[in-house]
Amino acid sequence: SEKKVIDILSQMESYVNGENDTNFSLLVQCYYLWGVRRSNSKIFSGKVKVNKKSKPYFEKVIELTENNKNNIYRIFSEHWLSK
C-alpha cells in the first residue's frame, strides 16, 4: 500500500547518515522509482508525466542530490519536473 511505502522510505531516510552512507544511492533510487510509480508511468517508457502524487518524490530526489548535480536520478527528476 502507499502508506507502507511512504513509511519504508521515511524509515530508510532515518537510517541513512548522509551522502557517504553506503545506502544513500539506494535511498535516492527508491524515491525516484516511487515517483515514477506514483506518476502512473512505466520506468523505461521514456515519458513520465509528473502529477501531484509524484511531484514530491522527484523534488525529494533533487533535495537529496543537491551536492551531486550529475546524479542520474537528479537529472531525470529535473527533466520530468520541467515538462
Side-chain angles (χ1 to χ4, degrees), residues 2-81:
E2 180 180 353
K3 183 179 178 344
K4 188 171 183 176
V5 172
I6 292 168
D7 289 343
I8 291 169
L9 286 171
S10 296
Q11 189 174 23
M12 283 177 67
E13 191 169 353
S14 72
Y15 291 145
V16 171
N17 295 317
E19 297 173 16
N20 296 323
D21 190 297
T22 56
N23 291 310
F24 180 78
S25 60
L26 181 60
L27 176 65
V28 172
Q29 180 184 36
C30 288
Y31 270 110
Y32 178 80
L33 292 174
W34 187 241
V36 171
R37 175 87 167 118
R38 298 305 297 150
S39 72
N40 295 319
S41 301
K42 294 191 182 309
I43 186 74
F44 296 115
S45 68
K47 295 179 184 175
V48 172
K49 292 186 178 180
V50 176
N51 58 34
K52 67 180 182 178
K53 291 181 180 179
S54 64
K55 186 177 179 183
Y57 300 100
F58 293 121
E59 289 173 339
K60 185 67 173 181
V61 169
I62 293 170
E63 176 188 327
L64 289 169
T65 57
E66 186 62 36
N67 293 327
N68 184 0
K69 307 285 187 200
N70 295 322
N71 179 286
I72 191 71
Y73 298 109
R74 178 189 181 87
I75 292 168
F76 276 102
S77 293
E78 289 175 330
H79 176 72
W80 303 135
L81 286 169

